[in-house]
Amino acid sequence: MNLLVFYILAILAAGSAIMVVTMKNIFHSALFLVLTFFSVAGIYVLLNAEFLAAVQVLIYVGAITILMIFAIMLTHQLFSRSLRQVNEQVIPASLITFIFFVLSVVALAKTAWPVSGGQLPEDRIFEIGKLLMSEYVIPFEVVSVVLLVALVGAIIIGRREKSGDTK
Amino acid sequence: MDYGYGLIGIFILFGIVFVIFTIFFAGLLRPQRPNKTKLENYECGEAPMGGAWIQYNVGFYIYALIFVIFDVEVVFLFPWAVAFKQLGLFALIEMLIFIAILIAGLAYAWKKGALTWES
């Protein structure tokens, strides 16, 4: 059952990822990206990493792709134009991609994957919360400073663009 | 596999099948006599001007960026909220510091006028 669900999710993720790079309309590409991220979130759930799945949905589906869709909708003429997703370099590019694919398959097959012997805690999100508030409290507070810097940076860059533009 | 996630899986599957089923059968059952007025974009009774695929106001983007920051903040709030009952006062103060630093960013955005709408 687990394996079956994994295969469905994997096919969904890979298939929609292919749709992202082949769709003629960039807006549809962005929507397929949402599906890809959702499938990856499903795989995280299969791996008992519910927190990661929640983060995946919140950050990647909820924020990153929405930001991309915003960027597409705000860009003049990009939104409705149908695009060609291939150019004259398609043959060398696919060759290199294929070589990379073979190399990664070989690497994946040759690697011995270590499995930690520890038992999974019953309530994993609870454990994450406890660790975040005790052992990793300094990194946790530093994260807020990093976010603050990102926020200020986004505002400065966003404002400058607007004042530089006439519109 | 956890039973709870099996339920969620069934729910998602049912949701997808339901939508496909309804749209498919609606297309099968309805009469199809399209004319030009019927195929226009729906504009609440008004005659539509131009296509629906227009360029949106750039002002939205800064809100989207600020939203992403606070979305990341929510990710950290989530495990804290789950473990809150056991953690007590110390964790509450930590979280207040965390939020206060981000509120400073929001105050900065406000002060800079990034939140005021320019049309």
Side-chain angles (χ1 to χ4, degrees):
Chain A
M1 184 64 197
N2 248 343
L3 204 65
L4 179 73
V5 174
F6 171 74
Y7 276 123
I8 292 169
L9 285 172
I11 289 167
L12 211 60
S16 52
I18 289 169
M19 295 302 273
V20 170
V21 292
T22 53
M23 282 313 260
K24 288 268 188 292
N25 187 326
I26 194 167
F27 188 70
H28 295 158
S29 292
L31 293 181
F32 271 107
L33 199 61
V34 172
L35 187 59
T36 311
F37 285 145
F38 259 122
S39 321
V40 173
I43 290 173
Y44 284 148
V45 170
L46 272 188
L47 295 171
N48 285 325
E50 295 95 343
F51 181 63
L52 218 52
V55 170
Q56 174 84 8
V57 172
L58 259 176
I59 304 284
Y60 282 91
V61 180
I64 305 271
T65 24
I66 295 304
L67 203 64
M68 281 183 192
I69 288 172
F70 261 67
I72 292 165
M73 282 166 67
L74 298 176
T75 311
H76 188 55
Q77 290 288 303
L78 189 61
F79 191 19
S80 53
R81 200 194 296 161
S82 90
L83 303 162
R84 255 179 70 214
Q85 291 246 31
V86 289
N87 59 12
E88 60 281 353
Q89 289 172 345
V90 60
I91 294 165
S94 41
L95 210 69
I96 290 167
T97 316
F98 181 72
I99 292 168
F100 182 73
F101 173 72
V102 171
L103 282 177
S104 358
V105 167
V106 170
L108 283 173
K110 294 232 170 190
T111 314
W113 300 97
V115 178
S116 81
Q119 192 70 35
L120 269 176
E122 189 59 39
D123 196 345
R124 290 169 285 270
I125 295 169
F126 180 79
E127 293 297 322
I128 291 171
K130 243 166 59 177
L131 281 175
L132 206 60
M133 286 298 152
S134 53
E135 220 175 314
Y136 299 103
V137 66
I138 298 295
F140 169 70
E141 297 296 350
V142 169
V143 161
S144 74
V145 178
V146 172
L147 285 175
L148 178 68
V149 171
L151 181 57
V152 171
I155 289 162
I156 287 170
I157 292 168
R159 297 298 288 175
R160 192 199 286 145
E161 264 174 12
K162 229 193 263 175
S163 59
D165 248 339
T166 43
K167 201 187 164 191
Chain B
M1 190 163 153
D2 263 344
Y3 183 59
Y5 287 101
L7 267 183
I8 291 174
I10 291 167
F11 191 78
I12 291 171
L13 213 66
F14 185 77
I16 293 167
V17 170
F18 182 76
V19 170
I20 292 171
F21 184 85
T22 342
I23 290 176
F24 177 74
F25 271 90
L28 215 65
L29 290 173
R30 67 169 177 242
Q32 286 179 343
R33 285 188 294 275
N35 60 36
K36 195 170 169 295
T37 327
K38 274 186 190 170
L39 292 175
E40 266 176 1
N41 293 326
Y42 182 66
E43 194 97 54
C44 215
E46 296 279 322
M49 287 160 55
W53 297 68
I54 53 155
Q55 185 193 351
Y56 285 78
N57 194 325
V58 187
F60 283 118
Y61 199 67
I62 195 80
Y63 294 95
L65 280 172
I66 294 170
F67 162 70
V68 170
I69 303 292
F70 285 95
D71 205 37
V72 177
E73 183 198 343
V74 167
V75 163
F76 286 95
L77 279 173
F78 176 42
W80 168 75
V82 170
F84 178 70
K85 267 199 175 156
Q86 280 227 340
L87 291 168
L89 189 65
F90 181 59
L92 181 67
I93 292 165
E94 279 168 21
M95 191 43 89
L96 283 178
I97 295 167
F98 182 82
I99 293 171
I101 293 170
L102 279 164
I103 292 290
L106 191 65
Y108 175 81
W110 199 350
K111 193 90 204 307
K112 278 273 168 183
L115 297 179
T116 47
W117 185 255
E118 290 169 27
S119 53

